[in-house]
Amino acid sequence: MARKKVCEYYWAPFKSDCEELLGRFQQTESVRFEEFSAIWREMDFSAVFFGTHSDHEKRSFTQLTFTIAYRYILPPYSFQIRVGSLYMIYGLYNTQLTWPKEKIRIALKDWYDVQKLITDAKTCQHLDVVYIFKRLLSSKAFCFTAMPKKLTFEGSGRVQHNVNEEFRDRRDRVAELASTEMLEEIANVHGHYERLKKSATPTSSGVTLLNLTYSVKKCASEYQQWQDKTAAAKDKSSKEETTQKSESSSRADLLAAIKSKTYGQVSKGTKSRRHRRVEMVTSDPGTDEALFSQKKRPPSLRTRTWQNFGKPGQPEPTKEWLLSVMEEDKTALKRKEQRRFKW
Amino acid sequence: MAECRTLMSEEKQHKNVPVYEFMDVNSKEFHVGIFRDLWLDVLNPEVYSYSDTASEIEDVGFIEEVGIEPKTLEELKSICSVDSLRSGHEDTDNVPSDLHLSTLKLRKRRQDYKETLTRDTVDRHEVYANEMEMIYVGKKPDNLRDLIPEGEIILTFNIMYPILFQRFKHVRAYQTLQVLGSQKLSDLRDAICCVSDLQVFGEFSSTPDMVPQFISKDHYKSAFFFFNGTFFNDTRFPECQDISITTQEWARSRDFPEFKTAKMEDTSFYDLKMKVGFPYLYTHQGDCEHVVILTDVRLVHQDDCLDIKLYPLITHKHRVVTRKCSVCHLYISRWITTNDAFAPTEPCLFCDQCFRMFHYDDKGNKLGDFLAYAYVDPGTFN
């Protein structure tokens, strides 16, 4: 089995640092870069690269930071979190200590989402977002790839991706249904139908709805206003409640998560979190590293093959030997107890 | 007619945008040439060119695109400058003393542990991991005709060394090769270094001075790549046979789907449909099999090696320990003997001088009973 690489151990701590930074940014409720850089300076985030001595470790850690920060730029995260992660990527790229600089890998499937984010920002006149993205493009920070990271078919690369519920965007199902394209299509079809009806039969009773598109639009906007009002009210009340419920619900969440991982089903949120959407937790059988502790590994393919098909008790044909040591000396080939760093 | 075309291009786009087939493991199949066209459609050519546009031109372009005043741009520049993100600490080699980032806490713990060790053994493979890559970074060719055209695709292949079951348990040794999309499969084949290509056949205990100079690479020239149900055979030389025929006939007799064949030297990487991260096969010498994984497909970048003559480029090679002579432990072994009454082990390695001193007398007569073969050390490519 390949040993876990040194930079992989930094995945969990760095992810929690990112989430702290984005969480603080979310609380400012703004998308301005000044707010972001104030939080960055306060947390002294550029120090994340300090302390590594070897060039190879610096590079692999830098690539790891990009991979982790990059995930937050894509849907289903909210607009503010996505902007925050773009700022974070800009900061990490410019404060990295390696030269030539490590590039940020961006996959084709994600490029469309990122472009959409930038056009949204342009329409809302968030100039700092657009400017920062243009700066990254002009400094050739991006590497345009097929997949977001190098896939080497090694077990160590498979980590659980859990979307942080706090950062998720509020799904606007009604707006998605009654989108502008849909309304246009409805208007076209409605107009076509009316024309056909007029030409086919003379004045008939009005069975169909008149002004269908207008009424759909009105309904959608009313719903949006109601949603905004109730969300604001809920946020205020939930902030008081979260402190009490956080402890019990986190433990309940952990239990629920473990149960769902073992059975591969949709995990139900606890009762206090019912207003949040349920999340599908999928797991690769046999490669779930988060579940198993460091010492106990699932049996490898080789062991399983021997158990199922191999003849039991067959001695290994290859004998190891050392020319410089006597044959009677059995301790020479045994590995000495090595003191290792406990990650 | 126009509708037909847009439908087809949408379908192309839908099928050829690489997505995960299994999360973090490998992607679905996509056509490399169409993938490249999709990227080039979406990007502004300045974004992937090798030269940098002047900052004044960029500023003017930005002002026009967004529709703002030059004064606002100046304000933006000062707010979004990198200086606002710099850390207060000057010393980048040591972890700063005030820690609240969990990454830094972990790093400090490791640093403290290292200071308790009397001798810090550094992993040899880690130290030299990036060595080959760093030699070629940013290399520009002397002759401008050898410059890689902008918008070219670079594919990165990990080629595993052939499987030796005892060693394969602990470390999967591989070499990494980078190829351009416009190159042919046969170029990749020529660049793969494998020890079995250098083997010399024959038993030479009676005639130690007559070791022939030809190697297996010259004798057995057939090879094939197996990608997604198609065998790509090397048909450049008259000695090359189609060694995939045996596998194909076996498959036909056992209800497998039909496998196709194609020529290695006629197919460029742009014509292939590949899965990223999926293990494929390369076979040469009849039975020396290598697992080949395509790890990365991307557009060429300003900072890559831009000399077309250097491709396929080796960026990583696993260093194998060279086996020294059993007698002197100084010279690299050139002979391997079996059935040898003089040798302590079966088989045993000797360097040239020790071999002759051990097994032949002054007049060159063979002493004792043994079989000797020429040995090529796996570490020759280090």
Side-chain angles (χ1 to χ4, degrees):
Chain A
M1 293 297 149
R3 217 173 34 169
K4 208 171 170 183
K5 291 191 206 129
V6 165
C7 63
E8 308 259 335
Y9 290 107
Y10 286 107
W11 184 286
F14 186 74
K15 187 160 180 231
S16 64
D17 288 336
C18 277
E19 302 214 330
E20 199 191 320
L21 179 63
L22 288 174
R24 284 202 209 177
F25 184 60
Q26 196 183 35
Q27 278 170 356
T28 62
E29 306 230 354
S30 102
V31 285
R32 295 275 77 84
F33 186 72
E34 298 160 294
E35 311 258 354
F36 184 83
S37 64
I39 304 174
W40 179 285
R41 272 194 302 269
E42 197 195 312
M43 285 181 74
D44 199 14
F45 212 76
S46 11
V48 138
F49 295 112
F50 292 178
T52 33
H53 295 281
S54 76
D55 191 49
H56 174 248
E57 215 184 297
K58 273 190 216 160
R59 287 192 167 274
S60 50
F61 179 70
T62 315
Q63 205 38 255
L64 182 87
T65 55
F66 289 150
T67 319
I68 293 176
Y70 173 80
R71 273 225 306 274
Y72 294 100
I73 244 191
L74 309 170
Y77 292 108
S78 66
F79 181 76
Q80 196 191 18
I81 294 296
R82 293 170 75 180
V83 166
S85 96
L86 176 65
Y87 292 157
M88 193 161 57
I89 285 179
Y90 176 71
L92 289 170
Y93 180 76
N94 286 307
T95 54
Q96 65 175 296
L97 299 173
T98 54
W99 191 89
K101 293 205 166 185
E102 278 291 309
K103 311 289 178 291
I104 303 159
R105 296 169 61 93
I106 182 161
L108 183 60
K109 59 181 169 84
D110 304 325
W111 178 258
Y112 302 123
D113 296 322
V114 171
Q115 283 294 94
K116 196 162 167 301
L117 177 75
I118 300 296
T119 38
D120 285 343
K122 245 191 246 178
T123 45
C124 304
Q125 286 288 306
H126 292 304
L127 299 173
D128 37 12
V129 181
V130 187
Y131 177 71
I132 281 187
F133 187 70
K134 285 276 177 298
R135 287 283 308 150
L136 279 175
L137 274 183
S138 64
S139 47
K140 310 272 167 62
F142 288 116
C143 216
F144 305 104
T145 71
M147 303 307 287
K149 59 178 185 172
K150 289 194 182 177
L151 301 170
T152 49
F153 213 72
E154 271 172 25
S156 50
R158 302 168 204 179
V159 191
Q160 279 288 346
H161 299 299
N162 288 323
V163 174
N164 191 332
E165 291 297 331
E166 313 280 324
F167 299 158
R168 198 189 272 270
D169 199 9
R170 226 174 40 218
R171 258 280 275 272
D172 213 358
R173 286 204 171 93
V174 176
E176 271 176 29
L177 180 65
S179 62
T180 29
E181 293 114 24
M182 186 65 83
L183 287 175
E184 264 181 45
E185 266 190 62
I186 291 178
N188 285 336
V189 170
H190 192 75
H192 197 63
Y193 176 72
E194 289 290 318
R195 268 176 271 134
L196 279 177
K197 213 167 64 157
K198 264 196 210 148
S199 58
T201 54
T203 52
S204 57
S205 55
V207 184
T208 53
L209 281 172
L210 298 168
N211 286 331
L212 179 63
T213 38
Y214 173 70
S215 38
V216 170
K217 245 193 244 177
K218 212 173 101 177
C219 252
S221 58
E222 273 178 20
Y223 177 76
Q224 180 79 19
Q225 285 167 10
W226 171 85
Q227 208 183 33
D228 288 334
K229 250 193 284 174
T230 39
K234 238 187 231 165
D235 276 335
K236 274 193 204 144
S237 61
S238 71
K239 270 183 193 153
E240 296 155 10
E241 287 177 8
T242 39
T243 45
Q244 288 173 3
K245 299 215 174 143
S246 55
E247 285 177 26
S248 56
S249 57
S250 63
R251 187 172 173 277
D253 276 340
L254 186 63
L255 280 173
I258 292 175
K259 275 191 192 155
S260 64
K261 273 179 196 173
T262 47
Y263 296 116
Q265 287 170 352
V266 178
S267 74
K268 268 195 174 170
T270 53
K271 286 195 179 156
S272 62
R273 297 274 174 106
R274 223 182 278 172
H275 63 280
R276 298 199 196 271
R277 287 195 299 130
V278 289
E279 169 199 334
M280 185 69 165
V281 177
T282 53
S283 61
D284 269 325
T287 56
D288 230 334
E289 294 205 327
L291 270 185
F292 301 100
S293 63
Q294 291 282 5
K295 287 177 190 159
K296 223 183 170 193
R297 277 208 213 118
S300 67
L301 180 60
R302 188 179 180 273
T303 356
R304 280 182 278 145
T305 324
W306 270 107
Q307 279 168 13
N308 291 327
F309 301 110
K311 307 176 193 85
Q314 228 192 18
E316 284 281 334
T318 38
K319 269 194 247 169
E320 297 183 45
W321 66 277
L322 209 56
L323 189 62
S324 49
V325 152
M326 294 189 296
E327 241 181 80
E328 294 85 28
D329 196 353
K330 299 282 179 205
T331 58
L333 286 171
K334 290 215 181 102
R335 264 195 211 172
K336 296 190 196 96
E337 272 300 309
Q338 259 199 325
R339 203 176 129 215
R340 281 194 204 277
F341 180 59
K342 290 187 190 59
W343 291 97
Chain B
M1 266 312 271
E3 283 172 19
C4 224
R5 247 182 286 144
T6 46
L7 262 177
M8 260 178 57
S9 70
E10 268 177 31
E11 222 186 86
K12 256 199 229 172
Q13 194 180 54
H14 180 68
K15 282 209 190 125
N16 286 298
V17 175
V19 285
Y20 278 118
E21 188 181 358
F22 296 106
M23 194 68 191
D24 274 348
V25 177
N26 64 286
S27 77
K28 291 204 179 130
E29 216 177 271
F30 65 94
H31 191 272
V32 178
I34 299 180
F35 162 74
R36 175 202 187 205
D37 295 330
L38 287 174
W39 256 131
L40 297 182
D41 284 336
V42 192
L43 293 177
N44 191 340
E46 284 172 356
V47 168
Y48 55 84
S49 81
Y50 298 149
S51 52
D52 294 318
T53 39
S55 51
E56 294 90 16
I57 303 180
E58 269 173 27
D59 291 345
V60 168
F62 186 72
I63 291 173
E64 278 178 18
E65 196 182 325
V66 186
I68 51 168
E69 306 279 305
K71 213 174 49 177
T72 340
L73 183 61
E74 293 302 313
E75 248 184 76
L76 264 182
K77 277 195 194 174
S78 61
I79 296 173
C80 301
S81 82
V82 182
D83 301 320
S84 63
L85 300 170
R86 288 208 197 283
S87 167
H89 302 272
E90 294 289 321
D91 181 21
T92 59
D93 278 338
N94 291 313
V95 182
S97 36
D98 47 339
L99 320 158
H100 39 253
L101 290 173
S102 4
T103 328
L104 288 178
K105 285 189 192 141
L106 182 60
R107 206 170 278 150
K108 182 94 175 63
R109 208 156 55 87
R110 187 158 179 255
Q111 202 174 2
D112 291 340
Y113 166 77
K114 286 207 167 200
E115 278 166 19
T116 61
L117 298 174
T118 45
R119 191 181 53 181
D120 189 10
T121 45
V122 189
D123 190 353
R124 177 173 59 117
H125 291 282
E126 295 256 321
V127 169
Y128 296 117
N130 281 344
E131 185 197 357
M132 293 188 91
E133 204 176 331
M134 288 299 119
I135 296 175
Y136 294 115
V137 152
K139 229 182 179 177
K140 305 260 186 315
D142 299 318
N143 189 351
L144 275 177
R145 250 180 295 159
D146 292 335
L147 192 70
I148 301 176
E150 291 172 7
E152 181 87 18
I153 292 260
I154 291 185
L155 297 111
T156 315
F157 282 97
N158 271 10
I159 296 158
M160 309 281 166
Y161 290 6
I163 297 171
L164 300 161
F165 284 104
Q166 280 297 91
R167 282 211 210 133
F168 211 65
K169 280 196 287 195
H170 305 291
V171 168
R172 304 279 155 99
Y174 63 91
Q175 40 177 270
T176 314
L177 282 173
Q178 287 189 338
V179 280
L180 299 174
S182 51
Q183 291 186 313
K184 306 274 186 249
L185 290 182
S186 44
D187 297 327
L188 176 62
R189 190 252 158 131
D190 292 332
I192 296 177
C193 326
C194 177
V195 145
S196 60
D197 275 337
L198 304 174
Q199 299 291 349
V200 178
F201 287 112
E203 205 272 306
F204 297 108
S205 54
S206 342
T207 53
D209 301 316
M210 263 188 38
V211 175
Q213 290 308 307
F214 50 79
I215 54 179
S216 301
K217 195 168 185 179
D218 304 323
H219 266 313
Y220 306 109
K221 293 209 179 108
S222 347
F224 69 79
F225 278 105
F226 178 70
F227 293 139
N228 289 325
T230 316
F231 286 96
F232 293 93
N233 290 302
D234 193 357
T235 48
R236 285 175 290 175
F237 305 100
E239 297 105 19
C240 297
Q241 299 160 6
D242 187 3
I243 46 184
S244 57
I245 292 182
T246 18
T247 324
Q248 286 181 338
E249 282 173 8
W250 177 89
R252 226 169 281 158
S253 66
R254 271 169 180 71
D255 233 4
F256 271 80
E258 269 296 308
F259 291 127
K260 298 188 230 141
T261 17
K263 288 199 181 172
M264 206 193 271
E265 59 274 10
D266 290 338
T267 331
S268 78
F269 287 101
Y270 280 137
D271 307 324
L272 287 178
K273 277 187 155 183
M274 300 285 278
K275 289 187 190 179
V276 180
F278 194 75
Y280 292 119
L281 189 68
Y282 165 65
T283 308
H284 64 138
Q285 302 289 325
D287 64 350
C288 185
E289 294 172 348
H290 297 254
V291 172
V292 170
I293 300 178
L294 175 62
T295 53
D296 186 24
V297 183
R298 59 177 175 86
L299 287 179
V300 71
H301 191 273
Q302 197 181 25
D303 283 344
D304 290 328
C305 173
L306 296 175
D307 192 348
I308 214 173
K309 283 222 265 292
L310 293 173
Y311 279 88
L313 188 66
I314 300 185
T315 40
H316 174 95
K317 207 189 280 181
H318 186 92
R319 294 190 180 291
V320 185
V321 176
T322 50
R323 296 260 192 86
K324 310 277 198 310
C325 169
S326 322
V327 178
C328 58
H329 289 297
L330 283 176
Y331 294 109
I332 299 178
S333 39
R334 296 251 184 270
W335 291 95
I336 184 166
T337 55
T338 48
N339 268 346
D340 196 350
F342 296 132
T345 59
E346 160 90 7
C348 193
L349 299 166
F350 293 99
C351 68
D352 203 40
Q353 285 182 335
C354 295
F355 178 68
R356 286 176 203 276
M357 280 201 295
F358 225 57
H359 295 100
Y360 300 91
D361 63 13
D362 294 325
K363 298 193 189 63
N365 298 321
K366 183 171 159 181
L367 304 168
D369 196 15
F370 61 94
L371 300 165
Y373 306 94
Y375 180 73
V376 181
D377 184 63
T380 24
F381 292 114
N382 284 355

